[in-house]
């Protein structure tokens, strides 16, 4: 009981004033029930620092996904209420992010150390906010965060590569590329931790819909109306690994070229990144061509370092295909099989809870397997000719 309430109650007891229920937050009309339990429209005027804005965007994003997908893929809501939509829209405009849960929210801003003095490792990290799926949600987002952490040495080496190319310092470039290769290799090892920390049935059947958006999604073909923002519905893609700035940076640095369809999707995903991160990717793309620099210098160490970088990136993308196969393709096939059997058998399986409309799509809205294979093959094509002929991968 708070001090003010104790003082108020004591005053009533000691005085001759009439005994009143309102002192106890009790309504004469509704009793103990809270009158008009409607949230007022939130204001973002007191949010100033970048960190505050990011955490607010994370919180509003999780609320939005929960509200939109609370009933699954059947009879999804058509309108986000004004009390949530308006502040979310205003906050998103300030950050330069779309009003939907993104990789920048769910992964990059959604973590804390259990022990503040402990290490940044999977055992000492937990989520700030979650979606349905229990411990699997923590496993999914924290493992993805570990992939981002593993990339830090590579990010730090990108300026070394660019400056080395500018100065025609083949040794500096080769050394930096070696550091990038090691970092990408560590990213792949971290990605494989998903198999230990996430149950594919839970990811596919429970979690996945809450990461889905309202663009290229048959569940919400017209998108979502943000009440108080505009009357026409708007379309936004759900969370996707393609929203991570990491691989975009590597592609631009190494000269990986994407064909029209895959390139268009990847370019679109940059609109789901923070503007400063998007600018970094663009600025890397404007630098002198690393691949051309390697080809123009008959330096064995440099060529080997470049080829190794591409090979590691290729292996990472092949790894991603393996993950998608286990967490989406196989559960989707099982869900289809169960739907063709008895309803009793279907009801017993978690994978059957997944939305049918997403079976062939990623949460970002793309045809996921064909997209990943195309991007993987485009990475392979970046290898310098002598090695690319000797390197084979299944399509």
């Amino acid at each position: 009981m708070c001090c003010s309430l104790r003082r108020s109650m004591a005053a009533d007891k000691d005085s001759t004033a009439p005994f009143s229920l309102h002192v106890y937050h009790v309504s004469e009309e509704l009793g103990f029930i809270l009158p008009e339990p409607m949230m007022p429209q939130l204001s973002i005027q007191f949010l100033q620092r970048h960190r505050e804005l990011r955490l607010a965007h994370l919180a509003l994003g999780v609320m939005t996904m929960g509200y939109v997908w609370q009933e699954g893929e059947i009879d999804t809501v058509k309108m986000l209420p004004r009390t949530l939509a308006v502040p979310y829209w205003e906050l998103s405009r300030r950050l330069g992010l779309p009003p939907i849960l993104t990789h920048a929210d769910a992964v990059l801003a959604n973590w804390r150390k259990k022990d503040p003095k402990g290490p940044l490792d999977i055992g000492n990290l937990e989520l700030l906010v979650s979606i349905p799926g229990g411990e699997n949600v923590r496993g999914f987002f924290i493992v993805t965060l570990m992939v981002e952490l593993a990339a830090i040495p590579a990010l730090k080496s990108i300026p070394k590569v660019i400056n080395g190319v500018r100065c025609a310092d083949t040794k500096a470039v080769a050394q930096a590329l070696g550091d990038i290769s090691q970092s990408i290799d560590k990213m792949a090892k971290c990605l494989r931790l998903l198999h230990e920390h996430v149950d594919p049935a839970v990811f596919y059947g429970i979690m996945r819909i809450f990461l889905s958006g309202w663009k290229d999604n048959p569940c919400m073909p017209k998108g979502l109306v943000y009440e108080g923002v505009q009357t026409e519905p708007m379309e936004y893609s759900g969370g996707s690994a393609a929203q991570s700035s990491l691989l975009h940076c590597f592609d631009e640095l190494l000269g990986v070229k994407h064909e029209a369809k895959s390139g268009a999707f990847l370019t679109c995903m940059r609109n789901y990144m923070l503007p400063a991160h998007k600018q970094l990717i663009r600025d890397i793309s404007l630098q002198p061509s690393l691949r051309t620099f390697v080809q123009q210098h008959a330096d064995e160490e440099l060529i080997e370092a470049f080829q190794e970088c591409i090979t590691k990136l290729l292996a990472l993308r092949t790894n991603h295909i393996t993950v998608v196969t286990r967490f989406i393709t196989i559960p989707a096939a099982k869900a289809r099989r169960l739907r063709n059997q008895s309803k009793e058998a279907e009801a017993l399986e978690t994978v059957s809870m997944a939305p049918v409309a997403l079976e062939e799509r990623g949460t970002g809205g793309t045809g996921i397997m064909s997209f990943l294979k195309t991007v993987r093959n485009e990475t392979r094509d970046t290898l310098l000719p002598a090695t690319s002929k000797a390197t084979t991968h299944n399509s």
Side-chain angles (χ1 to χ4, degrees), residues 145-186:
L145 181 69
M146 297 302 296
V147 175
E148 294 276 345
L149 290 170
I152 292 173
L155 287 175
K156 291 164 64 175
S157 296
I158 288 176
K160 297 177 183 177
V161 171
I162 292 172
N163 293 330
V165 170
R166 288 176 175 178
C167 300
D169 188 339
T170 58
K171 187 172 183 62
V173 173
Q175 289 177 344
L177 287 175
D179 292 337
I180 293 175
S181 292
Q182 291 180 18
S183 189
I184 295 176
D185 189 50
K186 188 176 179 182

Side-chain angles (χ1 to χ4, degrees), residues 110-240:
N110 190 19
W111 64 275
R112 66 182 291 272
K113 287 183 177 181
K114 296 177 184 178
D115 176 4
K117 297 181 180 180
L120 275 169
D121 62 32
I122 197 166
N124 193 42
L125 293 169
E126 61 185 3
L127 300 178
L128 298 176
V129 296
S130 189
I131 59 174
E135 189 64 14
N136 291 276
V137 180
R138 175 188 172 274
F140 180 74
F141 287 134
I142 295 299
V143 166
T144 308
L145 181 69
M146 297 302 296
V147 175
E148 294 276 345
L149 290 170
I152 292 173
L155 287 175
K156 291 164 64 175
S157 296
I158 288 176
K160 297 177 183 177
V161 171
I162 292 172
N163 293 330
V165 170
R166 288 176 175 178
C167 300
D169 188 339
T170 58
K171 187 172 183 62
V173 173
Q175 289 177 344
L177 287 175
D179 292 337
I180 293 175
S181 292
Q182 291 180 18
S183 189
I184 295 176
D185 189 50
K186 188 176 179 182
M187 289 169 63
K189 291 176 181 176
C190 288
L191 182 62
R192 289 196 288 270
L193 291 174
L194 285 174
H195 300 294
E196 300 176 26
H197 294 276
V198 184
D199 180 346
V202 175
F203 173 79
Y204 185 80
I206 298 176
M207 295 166 51
R208 195 163 173 251
I209 191 171
F210 292 97
L211 302 175
S212 304
W214 27 96
K215 180 179 180 181
D216 299 324
N217 188 341
C219 298
M220 299 178 68
K222 295 182 179 179
L224 178 69
V225 173
Y226 289 72
E227 186 182 26
V229 176
Q230 70 174 42
T231 56
E232 295 299 315
M234 291 181 275
E235 297 180 315
Y236 293 103
S237 298
S240 168

Side-chain angles (χ1 to χ4, degrees), residues 117-379:
K117 297 181 180 180
L120 275 169
D121 62 32
I122 197 166
N124 193 42
L125 293 169
E126 61 185 3
L127 300 178
L128 298 176
V129 296
S130 189
I131 59 174
E135 189 64 14
N136 291 276
V137 180
R138 175 188 172 274
F140 180 74
F141 287 134
I142 295 299
V143 166
T144 308
L145 181 69
M146 297 302 296
V147 175
E148 294 276 345
L149 290 170
I152 292 173
L155 287 175
K156 291 164 64 175
S157 296
I158 288 176
K160 297 177 183 177
V161 171
I162 292 172
N163 293 330
V165 170
R166 288 176 175 178
C167 300
D169 188 339
T170 58
K171 187 172 183 62
V173 173
Q175 289 177 344
L177 287 175
D179 292 337
I180 293 175
S181 292
Q182 291 180 18
S183 189
I184 295 176
D185 189 50
K186 188 176 179 182
M187 289 169 63
K189 291 176 181 176
C190 288
L191 182 62
R192 289 196 288 270
L193 291 174
L194 285 174
H195 300 294
E196 300 176 26
H197 294 276
V198 184
D199 180 346
V202 175
F203 173 79
Y204 185 80
I206 298 176
M207 295 166 51
R208 195 163 173 251
I209 191 171
F210 292 97
L211 302 175
S212 304
W214 27 96
K215 180 179 180 181
D216 299 324
N217 188 341
C219 298
M220 299 178 68
K222 295 182 179 179
L224 178 69
V225 173
Y226 289 72
E227 186 182 26
V229 176
Q230 70 174 42
T231 56
E232 295 299 315
M234 291 181 275
E235 297 180 315
Y236 293 103
S237 298
S240 168
Q243 293 173 5
S244 170
S245 301
L246 293 174
L247 295 182
H248 291 255
C249 286
F250 297 153
D251 281 352
E252 296 294 355
L253 181 73
L254 298 169
V256 179
K257 304 299 182 184
H258 298 288
E259 53 93 27
K261 188 174 181 181
S262 61
F265 176 75
L266 289 169
T267 299
C268 177
M269 288 297 99
R270 294 182 185 182
N271 295 324
Y272 293 77
M273 302 173 187
L274 289 164
H277 298 174
K278 181 179 177 181
Q279 186 63 44
L280 171 63
I281 297 166
R282 182 176 182 275
D283 288 347
I284 293 172
S285 74
L286 297 176
Q287 303 305 313
S289 168
L290 168 63
R291 191 171 187 272
T292 300
F293 176 80
V294 174
Q295 288 176 309
Q296 289 175 344
H297 290 77
D299 186 293
E300 186 176 343
E301 181 185 6
L302 177 62
I303 294 172
E304 184 178 342
F306 179 82
Q307 299 288 67
E308 182 68 8
C309 251
I310 300 296
T311 300
K312 294 298 184 184
L313 184 58
L314 183 60
L316 176 61
R317 283 183 157 142
T318 300
N319 236 339
H320 192 190
I321 292 173
T322 301
V323 167
V324 169
T325 299
R326 183 163 186 248
F327 285 85
I328 297 178
T329 306
I330 294 175
K334 184 175 183 180
R336 284 194 297 270
R337 187 170 66 251
L338 287 169
R339 280 196 299 273
N340 293 329
Q341 298 175 2
S342 67
K343 287 293 181 182
E344 291 77 10
E346 181 181 357
L348 294 174
E349 296 286 349
T350 303
V351 292
S352 301
M353 300 167 63
V356 177
L358 291 179
E359 282 184 355
E360 303 300 328
R361 297 174 181 268
T363 48
T366 184
I368 189 165
M369 192 56 74
S370 60
F371 168 75
L372 291 177
K373 288 184 176 181
T374 297
V375 171
R376 187 270 313 276
N377 293 341
E378 290 164 344
T379 304

Side-chain angles (χ1 to χ4, degrees), residues 44 47-62 88 91-92 94-97 100-111 128-129 145 148 243 245 272-277:
I44 66 167
L47 299 175
Q48 299 299 329
R49 297 181 180 178
H50 179 76
R51 182 174 178 274
E52 295 171 348
L53 296 171
R54 293 285 300 280
L55 293 174
H57 200 267
L58 165 65
L60 293 176
V62 171
Y88 197 18
L91 178 62
S92 298
R94 282 182 63 179
L95 277 171
L97 288 172
I100 191 170
L101 189 71
T102 67
H103 178 86
D105 303 312
V107 176
L108 303 183
N110 190 19
W111 64 275
L128 298 176
V129 296
L145 181 69
E148 294 276 345
Q243 293 173 5
S245 301
Y272 293 77
M273 302 173 187
L274 289 164
H277 298 174

